[in-house]
Each structure stands twice: as structure tokens, then as C-alpha cells.
Amino acid sequence: MKTPSPSVINASNVIDDGDDIEILEKKPIEKESEPPKKRGKKETSNVWNFFKKIGKGADGIQRAACIGCKQEFKTGGTYGTSHLHRHVSSCNFVSYHDVSQMLINQEGKLKSKKIDQQLSRQLCAEAIIEHDLPYSFVDYKGIRKWIKYLNPDVIMPSRNTVVSDVKKIYEKEKEKLKQEMARIPNRVCLTSDVWTACTSEGYICLTAHFVDENWKLRSIILNFCRMLPPHTGVELSNTILNCLKEWSLEKKVFSLTLDNASSNDNMQDILKRQLCLNEDLLCDGDYFHIRCSAHILNLIVQEGLKVASDALHKIRESVKYVKASDGRMQKFDDCVRESGGVETGLGVRLDVTTRWNSTYLMLESALHYQKAFTRLNLIDRNYKYCPSVEEWRRATKMREFLEPFFETTNLISGSKYPTSNLYFMQVWKIECMLNASLTNEDEVIRDMTHRMKVKFDKYWSEYSEVLAFGAILDPRSKLEFLQFCYSEIDPLTSEVKVQNVRMKLYKLYKQYEKRDEESSSTPQSQLGFVGSLKSTAGSENPIKTENVFCRFKNFKNHTSSSAGKSELDQYLDEAALDSDFYEDLEVLQYWKDVQKRFPHLSIMARDVLSIPITTVASESAFSMEAMKIGSLPRNNSIENPTPL
């Protein structure tokens, strides 16, 4: 008899007192002389497909051994078969765990129950979506052979069938998402980007950003499809408008974030006029167009990098040189070790010239291997791009100068947390930094700053008003923070700028109050106040604690509104939260907690705080390395981070 596995031995130590089961471990079986054969009762339980009777033990009780793990059990008489069923369900050596699902085929062999072909197709389609598999996956000869071996009854769908099943899942999930966005009281913010593939085919991506019913920021790709030429403003606006109508969102748009391409400026102007025809935008679309902050920051820094183009060129060519072949990389690794380094030179990075943040990372990595590049220049005559000592010094100062810009870019490029409340502080910090560097003692930094300041004033001389609202709706800053920032830049004009932002803020808030009044002739607070009075008057015990506090709360709201104080007034009158104690405050969670106090203002906060200040969410759709454009459906909805 084979020795049971450790898991079986552990299981054999368990004695079920309820069924008087005793499991023996490798006890010898004394075989008795064969008695005269008698016709016994026919075994009808399916469990005997997995057990073999081996005779009686020393105690005279019949035993059966599992055909999988060879473990022995007492059977017959009062022992029954329940313990045998339990063993089959847990035995690792038995092919089928659930005996009740086994059938006998025409050859008398075991087979599983009838396969649900519809469920099998659905699971196959979901696997293709989840793992980004091509539709032709189901036609692979090896996959079909493997599935046939596992169960001959499974009918593998064809490629066309899988395409149809994936589209059905897409339509089902799309309808669920449409209903979810229709239920939320707030609006939807958009980002869009156009990209040209290596095959010269154009693609457009439209992403929706909104706060859902659970007060979580969501980013959903509404459409990823071919964009046929010409890529003019008219064609782009028609494509986006048709997509909005398809999703029933044309009346729920709050903003659209775009980069600074000229066609985008024309497109947003046309789209805004189309949406304003039916009064679908708030404040006549004054806050509809948002320029991508990361793109503007890229233009500002690229302008400054032109000053040190010679040093950057040498560093870039140096990195290209050592990465050109394995032989050069091996030689560079030797230089790294001889220079006192313990790691290899694989950490050196090459930049993408159109992305300044990648240039910063290249500078950072190259400076780390400065000694190795210098040593390589001594032993390799073909290496002719080694920067001079002065150029390395200039690169070091550039890296130190650009580090705050790099941190700001990473901070504002998030898509899983609100960024509109971060905009004002980050832009203000950049302006303060540029103003301070205009008088820097280093000529290179001073020249870089002058160039960058000109570009900054072109785009950010006036801060975005709607994104300034985001800072006000952060309970740690409010209007006082704007007053402080403006006074640091220019004390003479700070009061005028603050009053202008305050006036625009109240104008937007009135739109939310007006919308609620139009949807209901009776204000929400009055309904709650009257309703609580009626329920209390009709109850047997009118003096209930919860009713008293509810009535008192409604009374305060009614008194505040009678005194001419709106929700926005009350919010601004309250002291700002101490940032020392609320440094890690989740802004959306705060508004979720106070939504009953500020029903109108909280909806406005949903919209403002869901504005993405960069187009990173849409751009990232073109950077999915595992996904080839040619295998994508013409229309696709993907949620970030989890696909449908």
C-alpha cells in the first residue's frame, strides 16, 4: 500500500465522533479464509466510483480504500457513506470533487455533467477582455486541443462568435455606466486627445471624469476610435458631440481639458457654441475650456532648456553612445565599477526630446555616472561626446533648478485623486520660484529663468478662475489662501483679483441654486422642516430625541436662509481647517460628510473638484504597451484603472 501524502496523514488524525468514524494509518489487514460467496446488496451510491473494497480488518469491520490517495476507511453496517463523500470532496488525488455532478457515458466511463455552453462562451469573452487577448485566440490549434482534452463536451466558439460576445458585454456594461452617470446629481468633466499611429492612422480618445454615488473620483474612456482626416476643429467637435449624444451626456458636461494645439482651440469654440444653443453649459460656457497644465509646463521648461542646449546635446549623445551596443555597455559597466560604483550602468536613461520631464530624468541618471563617462573618454577613442567640467557643472545646476518643476508635474498629473484644488498653489509656487531666480548669480540659470518667465506670462499671467475655485473649495485654504498668494505676487492688485474671483464664484453657485429651484417648487430645507413637523404631530410620542435634533437642524437652516446667508456664505464664514492637523485630508470625503449641510454647494464641489487639469488620462490610453491599436474594437469603454 502507498504511503499517504502529508496532507492525507494530517487528515487521518481527525476522528468524527458523530459518525463513529475511525481512520487507520497503515495498519496491517489480516486476511481471513474466503467465506462462501453470497449475493450481497447491490451498491447504488456513486461514491463507490472512487473507493475499492479491500476486505475486513483485524476488528472484523469492512474497509474501503480511496482509489486516489489509497487512504482506508471503515464501511458497512452503521458507518454509511457520508464520510466517504466528504473525503472525495477534499481529496487532492481524485479528478472530480463533486460526485453528484458525475455521469456515466456509453462506454461506462465517468464524465462531468453537461456543460453550459452559453456560460462557457461568456467566460471566454470576459477572459479575452481582461487579458487583452486577440480574438483569434480561440482559433489557436494548441488551445483547442487542450480544451478538448480537458472536456470533449466543450464547444469552442469561433472568432466571429467571440467578437459578437465581446460586443454584447460591451453594450451591457455601457448601459450600466450610462444609467450610473444619469443617476448622479453632478456633471461630467472631459479630456480629449488625438494621436497618430506609426501607420499614419489618426485616433481620438475621449475620457469622462466624475464623482460617483460613493464620492469616488472615476475616469472612464467613453470612446477610443479612428479619427479620419481632416483633423480640423469642425470634424473634431462633431466627433465629440456625437459621442456625447451616444452616451446621453450632452446636457451634463461641465468642462473639457485639452492641450494647446490650434485645432483644439477651434474645436472647443465650435463645441461650446453647439452646447450653448440649448443652454446645456453653466454660465454660458465661461468655464468650459481648460488648458492642460502639464502641457503648458512642458512648453515653459522646454523654452528654458534651449539656453543649455550644448551641454544637453553632449549628455544625450553620451547616453546614446553607451546604449548603442552590448560591447559598449559592457565597457561602460567596467568604468562604473572602476569609479567606485557597485551597480552597473543600466540605470542611465535616454530622454524623449519632446518631454522635458524625461530630459530631467536623463540628467539625473547621467550625473550619477559622471565619473564613469569621464573614465570612458580616457579608454575609448571613439567616444567623442564627453561633456567638459564646466558643462557637467551647468548640468548639475540645471537639475537642481528643474527639480521643483518635476515634482509639480508628477503631482498635477494624477488621475485617481482631485487635482483642481492643487492647481492654484502649484502655479503660484512656480511663479514665485521664477521671480526669485530672475536675479540668480549664475548666468545660465538667469537666462533660463528669463525665457521661462516670458512663456509663463503668455499662458498663466491670469490664473484660471474655475481652477482657483478648486482651492477655495478645499476647506484648508478657502478665500484667505488666495488673498495671501496674490499679495505675495503683487500687493497692489491682490484685493482686486480676490474680489473678481469671489464674484465669479458666487455667479457659478447661483446656477446650482437656480437649477434646484427649477426642479422643485419647494426648497429642500422647507420640505424637510415641514415634513418633520407633520411626522412629529402625528406620532404617539412627539418628544423623541432624533426628531428634536432634526427639527432644530432644519430650523437653523431656515433661519440662515431667512437672514440672507446662502450655503456658500456659511461655508466661507467658517474658519478654515488647520493644515497641520489635516495635511492628508481627502477633500472629497470632507464634502461627502457635509453634503447634508450644503446640498447645493456639495454638488458644485463635485463638479469643480473632478476637473482634470491635465490630459494625462486620455494620453495614457495611447501608451498601453500591451495593447495594439489594430486589435482594438472601433468603440471601446475602459475604466481607469480597471477595464470593463
Side-chain angles (χ1 to χ4, degrees):
M1 183 175 68
K2 288 181 66 176
T3 303
S5 64
S7 59
V8 174
I9 293 175
N10 292 335
S12 65
N13 295 328
V14 179
I15 299 178
D16 190 338
D17 295 333
D19 292 338
D20 296 326
I21 300 173
E22 179 182 358
I23 301 176
L24 305 179
E25 297 181 9
K26 298 182 65 176
K27 289 186 177 181
I29 299 175
E30 299 179 4
K31 293 190 177 182
E32 301 178 354
S33 58
E34 292 283 341
K37 291 185 179 181
K38 297 181 181 179
R39 297 188 63 182
K41 184 178 179 181
K42 184 179 179 181
E43 304 291 356
T44 58
S45 176
N46 286 330
V47 77
W48 295 111
N49 294 316
F50 305 98
F51 285 89
K52 179 181 180 182
K53 290 185 177 181
I54 58 175
K56 296 180 180 180
D59 54 3
I61 300 176
Q62 182 72 37
R63 282 173 173 66
C66 173
I67 61 176
C69 64
K70 310 303 181 184
Q71 189 174 343
E72 298 177 10
F73 296 87
K74 291 182 178 181
T75 61
T78 60
Y79 290 101
T81 57
S82 298
H83 59 302
L84 304 182
H85 281 288
R86 287 194 295 271
H87 175 75
V88 170
S89 63
S90 61
C91 181
N92 295 325
F93 298 92
V94 176
S95 300
Y96 297 98
H97 297 287
D98 190 355
V99 180
S100 63
Q101 296 184 4
M102 300 299 108
L103 298 173
I104 303 296
N105 61 16
Q106 294 179 351
E107 300 176 358
K109 296 181 180 180
L110 286 172
K111 67 174 185 178
S112 62
K113 71 175 183 179
K114 185 177 180 181
I115 295 295
D116 188 337
Q117 302 296 344
Q118 285 297 118
L119 178 60
S120 175
R121 282 173 49 184
Q122 180 181 343
L123 293 174
C124 179
E126 290 175 354
I128 287 175
I129 296 172
E130 182 176 357
H131 301 291
D132 299 327
L133 300 173
Y135 291 132
S136 58
F137 170 79
V138 293
D139 290 334
Y140 292 167
K141 184 178 179 180
I143 295 297
R144 286 183 169 270
K145 184 178 179 181
W146 173 52
I147 296 298
K148 200 71 175 176
Y149 168 76
L150 292 178
N151 195 316
D153 293 338
V154 176
I155 300 176
M156 282 292 287
S158 64
R159 182 181 183 277
N160 291 335
T161 302
V162 168
V163 171
S164 175
D165 292 341
V166 168
K167 288 183 177 179
K168 287 178 182 178
I169 294 176
Y170 166 75
E171 294 297 336
K172 179 183 176 181
E173 295 297 324
K174 179 180 177 180
E175 188 60 32
K176 285 169 57 178
L177 191 55
K178 285 176 65 175
Q179 293 176 5
E180 180 181 357
M181 289 191 289
R183 286 194 303 266
I184 58 176
N186 47 293
R187 290 175 171 254
V188 173
C189 300
L190 306 171
T191 57
S192 181
D193 195 24
V194 178
W195 177 79
T196 302
C198 57
T199 56
S200 300
E201 295 178 334
Y203 290 84
I204 186 171
C205 179
L206 183 65
T207 309
H209 310 263
F210 61 95
V211 177
D212 64 13
E213 296 170 309
N214 298 318
W215 285 84
K216 299 298 182 183
L217 185 62
R218 301 272 297 279
S219 297
I220 305 291
I221 293 182
L222 299 180
N223 203 2
F224 187 115
C225 63
R226 277 289 308 278
M227 182 67 204
L228 299 175
H231 296 171
T232 62
V234 175
E235 296 300 325
L236 291 171
S237 64
N238 288 336
T239 301
I240 292 179
L241 184 60
N242 290 334
C243 180
L244 293 176
K245 290 180 178 179
E246 181 183 349
W247 285 85
S248 303
L249 291 176
E250 67 273 16
K251 295 184 179 297
K252 298 200 69 171
V253 176
F254 184 77
S255 68
L256 174 62
T257 304
L258 303 164
D259 62 26
N260 291 323
S262 58
S263 57
N264 283 337
D265 290 340
N266 189 25
M267 178 267 286
Q268 68 84 21
D269 186 57
I270 297 172
L271 183 60
K272 182 169 70 174
R273 292 202 304 266
Q274 291 174 324
L275 294 175
C276 284
L277 286 176
N278 298 322
E279 299 182 352
D280 293 332
L281 296 178
L282 298 177
C283 299
D284 297 325
D286 290 345
Y287 311 119
F288 175 66
H289 183 206
I290 307 294
R291 294 188 181 275
C292 174
S293 298
H295 191 264
I296 294 175
L297 194 57
N298 184 55
L299 295 176
I300 293 172
V301 179
Q302 289 283 10
E303 188 67 24
L305 291 176
K306 293 178 182 178
V307 174
S309 58
D310 292 340
L312 280 178
H313 174 72
K314 284 190 175 182
I315 292 175
R316 184 177 295 116
E317 292 301 319
S318 296
V319 175
K320 285 182 181 179
Y321 181 82
V322 298
K323 283 184 168 289
S325 68
D326 290 340
R328 292 177 183 176
M329 200 67 201
Q330 182 61 47
K331 188 180 294 185
F332 185 70
D333 289 343
D334 295 338
C335 293
V336 171
R337 283 187 285 269
E338 291 174 5
S339 301
V342 294
E343 74 278 11
T344 64
L346 293 176
V348 67
R349 310 177 55 149
L350 185 63
D351 70 333
V352 179
T353 56
T354 57
R355 300 286 183 176
W356 82 267
N357 51 336
S358 69
T359 303
Y360 170 83
L361 293 173
M362 180 190 70
L363 272 176
E364 189 177 44
S365 64
L367 286 169
H368 182 69
Y369 296 103
Q370 178 180 346
K371 292 182 179 179
F373 279 113
T374 304
R375 185 175 294 274
L376 181 65
N377 187 46
L378 298 176
I379 64 175
D380 190 346
R381 295 182 178 180
N382 294 322
Y383 174 44
K384 301 177 181 179
Y385 300 102
C386 185
S388 64
V389 175
E390 177 62 25
E391 287 169 333
W392 280 120
R393 185 188 66 82
R394 183 176 300 175
T396 301
K397 290 188 175 182
M398 287 171 54
R399 183 192 63 79
E400 294 172 353
F401 177 67
L402 295 175
E403 185 175 4
F405 294 87
F406 180 75
E407 294 174 352
T408 297
T409 300
N410 288 338
L411 182 64
I412 66 177
S413 298
S415 59
K416 297 181 181 179
Y417 53 86
T419 55
S420 59
N421 60 315
L422 306 175
Y423 163 87
F424 191 90
M425 179 186 291
Q426 298 304 317
V427 174
W428 172 76
K429 285 168 62 177
I430 290 172
E431 185 172 10
C432 291
M433 192 187 315
L434 291 175
N435 289 338
S437 300
L438 287 172
T439 56
N440 193 287
E441 61 182 13
D442 186 272
E443 183 180 357
V444 174
I445 300 299
R446 197 165 56 246
D447 291 344
M448 286 180 63
T449 304
H450 277 288
R451 283 175 168 268
M452 294 168 69
K453 189 65 169 64
V454 172
K455 190 69 73 171
F456 179 94
D457 291 338
K458 177 180 178 180
Y459 293 104
W460 281 341
S461 59
E462 298 293 335
Y463 295 3
S464 170
E465 293 168 347
V466 68
L467 295 179
F469 299 164
I472 297 173
L473 292 173
D474 189 326
R476 296 165 294 185
S477 52
K478 299 192 177 182
L479 270 174
E480 290 83 356
F481 181 73
L482 269 67
Q483 292 173 337
F484 163 74
C485 293
Y486 280 132
S487 62
E488 288 285 306
I489 299 296
D490 186 359
L492 299 178
T493 61
S494 61
E495 189 61 32
V496 175
K497 291 180 178 178
V498 170
Q499 290 303 322
N500 180 57
V501 172
R502 185 186 184 96
M503 180 187 67
K504 298 291 182 64
L505 177 67
Y506 273 86
K507 180 182 177 182
L508 178 61
Y509 171 72
K510 291 295 182 183
Q511 295 277 309
Y512 287 87
E513 276 193 333
K514 179 182 177 182
R515 185 186 67 171
D516 190 69
E517 290 173 359
E518 291 175 351
S519 62
S520 176
S521 58
T522 307
Q524 185 78 17
S525 59
Q526 294 183 16
L527 280 174
F529 185 69
V530 175
S532 62
L533 285 175
K534 288 183 178 180
S535 61
T536 304
S539 63
E540 297 179 359
N541 184 12
I543 310 178
K544 287 186 177 180
T545 304
E546 58 270 20
N547 285 339
V548 171
F549 282 112
C550 182
R551 290 165 59 193
F552 175 62
K553 178 181 175 182
N554 288 323
F555 170 76
K556 286 198 303 181
N557 293 337
H558 182 67
T559 304
S560 298
S561 61
S562 300
K565 280 194 173 184
S566 64
E567 294 174 16
L568 184 55
D569 292 325
Q570 297 175 52
Y571 169 74
L572 294 177
D573 288 344
E574 294 179 359
L577 299 181
D578 192 337
S579 58
D580 291 337
F581 294 99
Y582 295 95
E583 182 179 0
D584 300 324
L585 175 72
E586 294 185 10
V587 182
L588 289 178
Q589 183 62 43
Y590 168 83
W591 283 105
K592 179 182 179 181
D593 295 338
V594 301
Q595 61 179 321
K596 292 185 178 179
R597 290 177 53 209
F598 307 122
H600 301 128
L601 189 59
S602 63
I603 296 177
M604 175 175 155
R606 280 174 174 257
D607 291 339
V608 173
L609 293 174
S610 60
I611 298 175
I613 63 176
T614 69
T615 58
V616 171
S618 291
E619 289 180 5
S620 62
F622 300 117
S623 303
M624 297 178 183
E625 296 179 353
M627 187 178 292
K628 294 184 178 180
I629 298 298
S631 64
L632 281 173
R634 287 303 182 190
N635 293 292
N636 198 11
S637 288
I638 305 176
E639 179 175 355
N640 185 14
T642 305
L644 290 175

